[in-house]
Every structure is written in C-alpha cells, then in structure tokens.
Amino acid sequence: MTLIFSTASAAENPAAKKVEKRVAINVANLTMAFYEDGVKVAEYPLGLGRTTTPTPVGYFKILTKEINPPWIDPQDPEYIVSSGPENPLGYRWMQIFGNYGIHGTNRPDSIGGYVSNGCVRMREPDVEKIFDAVEVGTPVDITYNRVVVEKIPDGSVVYSIFPDGYGWQEIDAAYVNRWLEPYGVAPFESDAQIDEKIQLSDGKPTTIGKPYNIEINGRRVNPVEANDKNFLAKAVQRDNINYLPAVPMAMALKTRLEWRAGEGTLKTAYGTVTGFESKNQIYCNADDAIILFNLDGGLQNISDNPADGKVFKFYVADKKLERKVKKEQAAQAKPAAETKPADDKKSDKKKSKDKKNKKSSEVKVQENEPIGNS
C-alpha cells in the first residue's frame, strides 16, 4: 500500500504556487533533484526505506535543520549516539515529517538501495550541499514514478523506466505513452519498443527526438481534433529528419488534406508528398512543406539568445498560388444545382453504387471542407 502524508496544507502545496527552490525525490529511481526557479540544477543518488519501512510519498517541506545531530535508536530511545563517525545520520539533518528526515550517513555504500527505516540518506558531500542550499520551509515533493521523461540540455526528450522496487506501480505501453504525449514525441517510439523497455526496467535513458513548436505567418500551430482523433502539433527532429504534423498545419492553413495510407502519400491542392503515420499521427518531411503547403521557412532561434531555444517558422511562399488554390477550393465547396437531367441522375446513382462497392485503402483526413479553422 502506498503511504501518503503531508506537512503542507492545500494552500502551501508546491504545485499550487511558484517557488524559488524545490526538492523532488523519486523513490522509484532513488534520486533527488534540486530545482531553482523551476530549473533542475543538481541531482543526487539516495538510500531510501526498505520495503518493510518504505519512505512515505507526498508533499512535505523542510521543518527543521540541524548540524551534527545525535542519533537516537528508534527501538531504544535511551540509546543515543553523539555526532561523529559512528553516527548513522552523518553530520546533517533536515526534518520533513515526524521522525522522517533527509540526512547524511556513515555507510556511503548503502546509497542506491532500499536500506533505511524510511528516511532519506545522502552521501555526506551531497547532503551538505543541499543543507546549505535550502531553508526551513523549502518544499520537498516525494513521488513514486517508474517512468521518468525529461528534456535534456540539447533539446532531446529522453525517457527511462525503473524497477518496481516497492511493488507499487504496474505499467504498460499505454501508461508510458501518456507521459510522452505532452512532449509531442510519443509517435516516434513504438509500443513494441516501450514493452521491451518495460521488460528491462533498467533505468537507462532512451532518446526519442527533439520536439519544436511551429509558427505559420507568426501564429502558433496548436493541437487539433479531426475525424474523432486528437493530433499533436509538435515538429520532431529524429535521425536528422524534421517531421511536421500534417493535420494541424493543414487546419491552420484552412486547406484540404488527403492521407492515402496504401500509398503512404499526403495530398493537397498544392502537391503530393510522402507521408509518415504512427499511432494515428500523420507527418511529412519539413523539406516538403513547400510542395504540400506552399510554405517556406525552417528551424530558427526564438530570440537572439540561443538559450531560449528554437521554433519552426514558416510563411506563405507564393501568395498568388495561395489565392488561386483558395478560389478553387471555394468553388468546389459550393452546393450542386438542385435539378439535373434524368440521365445525369441515373449516372449519379450508378456512381454512388459503384463507390459503395469499391474497396479502397485510401483514407481522407479531409473530405469536402477544410479540416478546420486556425
């Protein structure tokens, strides 16, 4: 059973307000991350509670701090060990809840395992750094997450899956996909690859790709819903190829888009290109944006400061061509005449019957109207 405690009220919940400093502990991967202004600046290995005396999860905060703390035997309160090399608490103590705290250890070899009575053990140099960095009141979040997804400094999204040390969390590919989707990279890791990674559960990171936002004529492309499906709106760079999400871009441009699964092609009034489909998401190569969407542009810095990251910026390449296509689309969307010659009606019925009987691998993302509005 998962133990959940809290020393912070709802109003003090670190998730409910912005804080300058925060400690985040993941029991599943035995690590502590230290954040300043929302940026992870350090990560440390830990020794945590045994399965019989698990480290509690929940929202806490630093309640007290003490240098050179004495150790009191929980089984015999009269047995006290003063500060020194024999003291199991090392030389720093930070209380977070009751008798639970973050502290050093005289057994550095125990770091990286489930070894304590529930407290958080750290190597002495590490705990002294954290002790100096935090104040009383600093939030401490303790979670149990076997799936860890993060964006590393070069912009790549990586994910790791850790063993179920406490037996608290069974996971499957669908669960992992829910963690990957907000980053926009889920379609680029197959369920088979995820299943294999779950079987290993070795905590090793796997790089998926680099996601980027997209702008067309200065307006950001957003996720959309079409044909009862949700479409992600991130461009993804993987294996030196830049993949663009075709459906959200078509909707932003208010243009018709057709996906032919059997041929693996995407078609608009501008042209036809090779497409890529995975997990109900459809992509094209960024190099083909000029053919498929009449768009020019590419990956650019968000600002003069490279640290701010990059974004795909596109603009209409040929405005005359765009006006021509829009005019043709508008004409095609007009309703047919109410009356037709008898021969034409018979012909229409025959065509309709033939269409129903014809089997086709062609899937139209867009039928007679633009996919949607920007």
Side-chain angles (χ1 to χ4, degrees):
M1 176 182 293
T2 302
L3 305 178
I4 301 179
F5 302 95
S6 178
T7 58
S9 67
E12 297 171 324
N13 187 322
K17 66 177 183 179
K18 184 179 179 181
V19 296
E20 294 184 356
K21 296 180 180 180
R22 180 169 64 92
V23 172
I25 294 170
N26 185 357
V27 177
N29 72 354
L30 295 154
T31 61
M32 170 192 290
F34 179 60
Y35 293 85
E36 290 182 342
D37 294 329
V39 178
K40 184 168 71 172
V41 296
E43 186 170 281
Y44 305 103
L46 305 173
L48 297 175
R50 292 183 289 269
T51 56
T52 53
T53 56
T55 298
V57 300
Y59 296 114
F60 306 93
K61 60 184 177 181
I62 302 294
L63 298 176
T64 62
K65 297 172 61 179
E66 187 175 354
I67 298 176
N68 298 328
W71 178 73
I72 301 174
D73 188 341
Q75 306 300 323
D76 183 5
E78 295 185 359
Y79 182 73
I80 301 175
V81 178
S82 299
S83 179
E86 302 301 319
N87 190 314
L89 300 182
Y91 298 94
R92 298 293 186 274
W93 165 264
M94 290 163 277
Q95 180 194 19
I96 59 173
F97 169 70
N99 292 326
Y100 294 97
I102 302 168
H103 61 79
T105 180
N106 62 346
R107 288 187 51 204
D109 59 302
S110 68
I111 301 300
Y114 296 110
V115 291
S116 76
N117 288 322
C119 283
V120 178
R121 293 184 188 178
M122 302 183 70
R123 295 188 180 118
E124 195 61 37
D126 296 343
V127 75
E128 291 183 15
K129 290 177 183 177
I130 287 294
F131 187 93
D132 293 340
V134 302
E135 302 87 22
V136 170
T138 297
V140 178
D141 302 348
I142 304 181
T143 60
Y144 188 90
N145 295 319
R146 293 181 59 198
V147 181
V148 175
V149 184
E150 58 185 341
K151 185 178 286 189
I152 59 178
D154 75 348
S156 297
V157 172
V158 302
Y159 80 112
S160 307
I161 299 178
F162 295 88
D164 194 3
Y166 282 177
W168 283 358
Q169 191 178 64
E170 291 186 9
I171 60 175
D172 56 17
Y175 179 84
V176 176
N177 279 318
R178 287 197 293 273
W179 281 86
L180 296 175
E181 282 177 2
Y183 292 87
V185 298
F188 296 85
E189 186 78 346
S190 71
D191 287 350
Q193 290 171 315
I194 293 173
D195 287 336
E196 183 178 354
K197 196 165 176 65
I198 292 173
Q199 288 297 318
L200 292 173
S201 291
D202 55 10
K204 293 181 179 179
T206 294
T207 302
I208 301 180
K210 298 179 182 179
Y212 297 99
N213 290 326
I214 304 170
E215 292 179 3
I216 298 178
N217 295 332
R219 299 182 66 181
R220 181 168 170 175
V221 176
N222 295 312
V224 297
E225 183 176 342
N227 293 10
D228 298 323
K229 297 177 183 177
N230 294 315
F231 291 92
L232 306 177
K234 297 280 189 183
V236 177
Q237 187 179 86
R238 180 182 172 95
D239 298 330
N240 296 319
I241 298 175
N242 295 313
Y243 295 92
L244 300 179
V247 176
M249 292 185 68
M251 291 188 71
L253 292 164
K254 301 180 183 178
T255 192
R256 299 183 183 91
L257 176 70
E258 185 177 307
W259 165 240
R260 297 187 176 186
E263 300 174 6
T265 59
L266 284 161
K267 181 181 179 182
T268 65
Y270 298 104
T272 301
V273 302
T274 299
F276 166 77
E277 180 183 24
S278 179
K279 296 181 180 176
N280 293 322
Q281 304 296 311
I282 303 171
Y283 296 87
C284 68
N285 192 315
D287 293 341
D288 292 331
I290 186 70
I291 301 172
L292 188 65
F293 294 123
N294 187 34
L295 293 176
D296 203 353
L299 193 58
Q300 302 177 28
N301 289 326
I302 293 176
S303 69
D304 292 334
N305 182 6
D308 291 337
K310 297 183 176 183
V311 62
F312 271 93
K313 293 186 178 182
F314 292 102
Y315 56 90
V316 174
D318 186 338
K319 295 194 181 226
K320 288 184 178 179
L321 177 60
E322 182 189 43
R323 287 194 291 269
K324 177 183 176 183
V325 167
K326 295 295 183 187
K327 185 176 180 180
E328 290 175 350
Q329 288 180 339
Q332 292 172 5
K334 288 181 180 179
E338 293 183 4
T339 59
K340 290 185 179 181
D343 289 344
D344 287 348
K345 290 182 180 180
K346 291 179 181 179
S347 177
D348 286 346
K349 288 181 180 179
K350 185 177 185 301
K351 288 179 181 178
S352 177
K353 185 177 180 180
D354 290 344
K355 187 176 180 181
K356 288 181 181 178
N357 292 333
K358 182 181 178 181
K359 291 185 178 180
S360 172
S361 61
E362 185 175 299
V363 177
K364 289 187 179 179
V365 176
Q366 176 57 42
E367 295 294 342
N368 297 319
E369 296 296 331
I371 293 177
N373 297 325
S374 59

